Amino acid sequence: MVTPNPEFSKEIAAAGGEEVKMCFQCGTCTAGCPSGRQTSYRVRKLMRMAQLGLKEEIINSDELWECSTCYTCVERCPRQVPIVDIVISLRNIAVAEGHMFDAHKKTASNLAAYGHTVPVQDKISALRADLGLPEIPPTLLSNENAMADFSKILKATGFDKIVE
Ligand code: SF4
Ligand code: SF4
């Protein structure tokens, strides 16, 4: 038995996903979704769950994290529902409540540690040097003060705890 949460639609709207109400459940998105071919993820179902306010079921589900943000569904949706924006809004709500898929957590922990989701590799540094560029790019990686400020932001938002 599931318990709809009527307040959830307000949360989705506040997080940028108000247009989920435009979905009329035609299923065109699911029919073209490459992630859905490989996993149990069904984007039409996710949109319906959001409309119904099934917050706990959504934020605790693995499927929420199986969209690859390829935008095929957005291109095909006859109602022009901004599906990827809605998926991201739902993920933002899930993360704010401490839920994140393990693979995403790993990527996010790189962000917390290095200021980049993909750390600089020796091969790339050598290639940069060959091109006459600094081995370390002029980003957070080479700016201790900016990295310290960035870490403070992650701490203030609790993001560091989520990815620990
Ligand atoms: S294609 Fe658009 S209207 Fe159709 S089910 Fe998907 S989101 Fe809803
Ligand atoms: S953006 Fe996500 S939901 Fe849409 S088709 Fe691509 S993988 Fe599927």
Side-chain angles (χ1 to χ4, degrees), residues 2 8 39-43 45-47 49-50 54-67 86-87 90-95 97-104:
V2 292
F8 190 41
T39 69
S40 58
Y41 174 52
R42 299 291 178 264
V43 56
K45 183 179 167 191
L46 181 65
M47 294 301 110
M49 288 168 78
L54 304 183
K55 179 174 180 178
E56 292 309 312
E57 289 73 15
I58 291 174
I59 67 174
N60 287 298
S61 73
D62 284 351
E63 283 84 2
L64 176 59
W65 301 94
E66 285 167 350
C67 165
I86 292 162
V87 169
L90 294 170
R91 287 179 180 176
N92 286 343
I93 293 169
V95 169
E97 301 208 6
H99 302 272
M100 194 186 287
F101 201 39
D102 282 348
H104 290 68

Side-chain angles (χ1 to χ4, degrees), residues 29 32-35 41 43 66-74 83-84:
C29 48
C33 175
S35 298
Y41 174 52
V43 56
E66 285 167 350
C67 165
S68 65
T69 66
C70 71
Y71 281 83
T72 304
C73 55
V74 177
I83 299 166
V84 174

